[in-house]
Amino acid sequence: MWINNQSSVDDFILLGFSDQPWLETPLFVIFLVAYIFALFGNISIILVSRLDPQLDSPMYFFVSNLSLLDLCYTTSTVPQMLVNLRGPEKTISYGGCVAQLYIFLALGSTECILLAIMAFDRFAAICRPLHYPIIMNQKRCIHMATGTWISGFANSLVQSTLTVVAPRCGQRVIDHFFCEVPALLKLACTDTSVNEAELNVLGALLLLVPLSLILGTYVFIAQAVLKLRSAESRWKAFNTCASHLLVVSLFYFTAISMYVQPPSSYSHERGKIMALFYGIVTPTLNPFIYTLRNKDVKAALRRALTKEFWVKTRQ
C-alpha cells in the first residue's frame, strides 16, 4: 500500500529488508553505530596524517586519501539506508538514485587504483630505499592521487551511463538497499547482454589489472624482505605491508565476487550481503586496521589527544 500511496512515478522503491521487518530495527542500530565509527576513525586518520609532522610521508598521504574515500563511500549510501530502515517510505528519487550510483561507483573505482598505488609506494620504500625520496616525491604523489580520483570518476561516468540507459519499462522496485549496477540491470526489460559485456570488461580491467599489479609488487617485496639479514628488519618491513594487504583482501574479495560476473546471474540476497561488506564493514574497519597495526599512527593519535588534553586543562 505504501508503494502506491507514498511514492511518485519517478521514484525508485528500495526493498532492502522490508520482507524481514523484524530485522530493520537491529540493522538500523548496527548501521548507525558502524557509520559513527567510520566517521570517527576516518576523520581521525585524515587529521593526524595532515597535522602530525612525523606522518608527513607518501605512505600516510595515500592512507589519508583512502580514509577520505572511505568517508565519502559510507556517506553516499548509509544515511539513505538509515532513513529507509526507520521511515515508512522505502523510496529514493530518480536523481538521487543516479547520483548515488555514480558516486558509489566512482569511489569504488578510485579505491581499486589507489590500493595499487599504495602497493607501489611500499615497493619503492622496501625495494628501492635509496631512491625512494626521488621516486615518491611530493609532486609525483599529488599527481598520482589526482590521476587516481579522475580515473575513478571517469570510469564511473561510463559504467553508470551504461546502467541507467537500459530501458526499464516502468519497473522501479529495486531489491536492494541502495542503487547498484547489478540490481538496476535486473530491472531492464530488454536484452542487456551488450551492457553486461561492456560492464564486465570495464569491471575486469578495473579490478583484476590493479590486483595483478598488487600481487606482482608483493612478490618483489617478499623477495627483498627475505634477503634482509636482520629478523627485526624483516618484521618491520612485513608489518608496514600487513595493514595494506589486509585492506586489499577485504576490498577485492567482495568487489570481484560482485562485479566480475554477469548481472543476469546476480543473486539478490548474496548481493545484499556483499554490498554490506564492502559498503559498510570495510570502510569502517580500514582506519582501525591502520591504527591498530601501526605504531606511528598510534603514537600520533596519543600525541594529538595529549596535546588537546593539556590545552583544555590550561584553559
Side-chain angles (χ1 to χ4, degrees):
M1 184 66 68
W2 55 266
I3 289 177
N4 293 327
N5 293 342
Q6 299 184 27
S7 61
S8 73
V9 292
D10 294 326
D11 290 347
F12 284 105
I13 295 129
L14 298 168
L15 291 183
F17 301 96
S18 56
D19 58 334
Q20 297 173 304
W22 60 273
L23 271 176
E24 292 189 342
T25 299
L27 284 176
F28 175 84
V29 175
I30 292 169
F31 294 165
L32 179 61
V33 171
Y35 185 51
I36 291 169
F37 272 103
L39 291 177
F40 173 76
N42 286 300
I43 290 172
S44 298
I45 293 287
I46 293 168
L47 290 176
V48 297
S49 297
R50 302 307 299 164
L51 300 177
D52 195 301
Q54 294 190 31
L55 298 185
D56 185 15
S57 70
M59 175 181 172
Y60 297 110
F61 170 74
F62 291 121
V63 167
S64 64
N65 270 264
L66 180 64
S67 290
L68 176 61
L69 193 152
D70 285 337
L71 188 64
C72 299
Y73 209 39
T74 51
T75 302
S76 69
T77 57
V78 176
Q80 179 70 46
M81 288 166 54
L82 294 174
V83 169
N84 287 353
L85 282 169
R86 294 304 296 163
E89 296 186 31
K90 313 291 183 185
T91 60
I92 184 171
S93 67
Y94 176 81
C97 185
V98 172
Q100 189 179 71
L101 173 71
Y102 175 70
I103 293 169
F104 191 80
L105 265 176
L107 296 170
S109 304
T110 303
E111 185 159 352
C112 290
I113 305 169
L114 182 61
L115 290 173
I117 288 177
M118 292 172 75
F120 175 75
D121 172 67
R122 293 299 83 212
F123 165 79
I126 294 171
C127 300
R128 300 288 186 272
L130 298 178
H131 299 95
Y132 181 67
I134 300 171
I135 296 171
M136 301 300 291
N137 61 69
Q138 186 180 31
K139 185 177 180 180
R140 183 167 293 166
C141 288
I142 293 171
H143 287 168
M144 292 170 78
T146 304
T148 297
W149 286 86
I150 291 172
S151 300
F153 277 80
N155 170 73
S156 178
L157 182 62
V158 176
Q159 289 208 43
S160 55
T161 301
L162 288 171
T163 303
V164 170
V165 296
R168 293 179 299 278
C169 303
Q171 297 187 62
R172 56 198 184 94
V173 180
I174 303 173
D175 193 3
H176 211 306
F177 40 80
F178 65 89
C179 296
E180 196 177 25
V181 172
L184 280 170
L185 279 181
K186 274 287 187 180
L187 300 183
C189 57
T190 59
D191 181 25
T192 59
S193 56
V194 175
N195 302 62
E196 290 182 14
E198 291 171 336
L199 289 167
N200 267 334
V201 169
L202 287 170
L205 286 173
L206 204 66
L207 285 165
L208 299 181
V209 171
L211 181 59
S212 300
L213 292 173
I214 291 169
L215 295 176
T217 298
Y218 273 104
V219 169
F220 288 110
I221 289 174
Q223 291 174 346
V225 169
L226 291 174
K227 291 178 182 177
L228 296 173
R229 295 181 180 180
S230 167
E232 184 180 348
S233 298
R234 285 197 297 271
W235 173 251
K236 185 178 179 181
F238 168 76
N239 205 40
T240 59
C241 299
S243 300
H244 180 254
L245 276 173
L246 185 55
V247 169
V248 166
S249 302
L250 287 172
F251 177 78
Y252 274 99
F253 171 74
T254 51
I256 288 173
S257 68
M258 277 293 294
Y259 285 93
V260 186
Q261 64 165 337
S264 55
S265 64
Y266 172 74
S267 163
H268 290 298
E269 296 308 314
R270 179 168 166 270
K272 290 177 186 178
I273 294 170
M274 291 293 103
L276 280 177
F277 204 85
Y278 63 75
I280 299 177
V281 176
T282 303
T284 303
L285 290 179
N286 283 352
F288 298 99
I289 291 170
Y290 277 104
T291 302
L292 295 175
R293 292 198 58 86
N294 193 298
K295 292 180 180 179
D296 294 335
V297 177
K298 285 191 286 188
L301 285 170
R302 280 196 296 269
R303 285 193 296 272
L305 291 172
T306 305
K307 184 178 180 181
E308 184 178 343
F309 172 77
W310 284 112
V311 168
K312 286 183 178 179
T313 53
R314 286 175 183 176
Q315 289 176 348

